[in-house]
Amino acid sequence: MATWASTLTLDSSSPLMEQLIFFHDHALSILLIITTLVGYLMLELLFNKQVNRFLLEGQTIEVIWTMLPALTLIFIALPSLQLLYLIDEIKNPLISIKSIGHQWYWSYEYSDFKNLEFDSYMIPSQETSQYHFRLLDVDNRTVVPFNSQIRLLVTAADVIHSWTVPSLGVKIDATPGRLNQISFLTNRSGLFFGQCSEICGANHSFMPIVLESISPQLFIKWISKMI
């Protein structure tokens, strides 16, 4: 969960988020090299008193500064395309969950189990306990088994919302009249917090998401109790 002192990305809780962090570091390292090189050349031009009489005609240097940016873009584009395909790829999901955005709460339907539907409202500040996170905890958490492929179907009942859990690397728009889908996998147990990332009205900041990742055995017990 993000806190006020966080300066870096959240700890990854899924293989997808791990790859996103790797790509983030990869792109930043290339940008750092480019910024350092360009800054050095600018300082050299600023403080150098010598004049190159061949500066206006240099085919070799023109070929070099044309090819180097092209190669740099290739080194950035290839991991980016691989990551895009990884995000869209869905392989044999264990369960499917449908999330519907409302003003201002989320409702969930476990499509593989009969009559398993519930609404998820934020717990008001005056009703929170010591173990609750203010403005982040909900009365009904979304429970999923870890190390299992989950397919999430997202839509909205009124206006555009966005179902987002940063530590999983998941952000998907909930659009009225349209069904979007994404796949994710949690690689450890825990509570993962998110919020609506689309400005959807007056109480936009008060429709959090809480995903509870538990073992498959406990998930089966939870399903049996809920049904």
Side-chain angles (χ1 to χ4, degrees), residues 97-108:
I97 303 174
K98 184 178 181 182
S99 177
I100 305 172
H102 304 267
Q103 289 183 315
W104 287 272
Y105 66 96
W106 296 95
S107 61
Y108 297 93

Side-chain angles (χ1 to χ4, degrees), residues 28-82:
L28 276 188
S29 61
I30 293 177
L31 290 175
L32 180 62
I33 294 172
I34 294 173
T35 304
T36 304
L37 179 60
V38 172
Y40 171 76
L41 293 176
M42 290 179 65
L43 290 175
E44 281 292 318
L45 290 174
L46 185 63
F47 294 105
N48 194 354
K49 303 300 182 181
Q50 299 177 354
V51 177
N52 185 358
R53 62 193 180 96
F54 299 109
L55 183 63
L56 299 179
E57 184 64 34
Q59 296 294 330
T60 304
I61 190 63
E62 289 182 4
V63 171
I64 292 175
W65 70 40
T66 301
M67 294 300 296
L68 283 180
L71 292 174
T72 303
L73 290 176
I74 291 174
F75 278 109
I76 295 176
L78 289 179
S80 176
L81 291 174
Q82 181 185 12

Side-chain angles (χ1 to χ4, degrees), residues 122-205:
M122 185 192 75
I123 301 176
S125 299
Q126 60 271 20
E127 298 180 11
T128 55
S129 303
Q130 292 183 350
Y131 53 85
H132 285 144
F133 292 98
R134 180 178 175 271
L135 302 182
L136 277 180
D137 248 316
V138 295
D139 53 359
N140 290 311
R141 295 169 177 169
T142 309
V143 181
V144 297
F146 60 73
N147 290 332
S148 303
Q149 198 75 20
I150 311 298
R151 177 172 58 185
L152 182 70
L153 306 173
V154 181
T155 187
D158 34 49
V159 299
I160 299 177
H161 301 277
S162 184
W163 200 92
T164 306
V165 179
S167 61
L168 298 180
V170 174
K171 182 181 185 296
I172 181 169
D173 288 339
T175 308
R178 180 171 179 176
L179 199 63
N180 295 327
Q181 71 173 0
I182 197 169
S183 177
F184 64 89
L185 179 147
T186 59
N187 52 19
R188 60 187 176 91
S189 60
L191 294 177
F192 309 119
F193 295 87
Q195 288 178 308
C196 175
S197 298
E198 188 75 30
I199 299 177
C200 56
N203 291 329
H204 154 69
S205 301

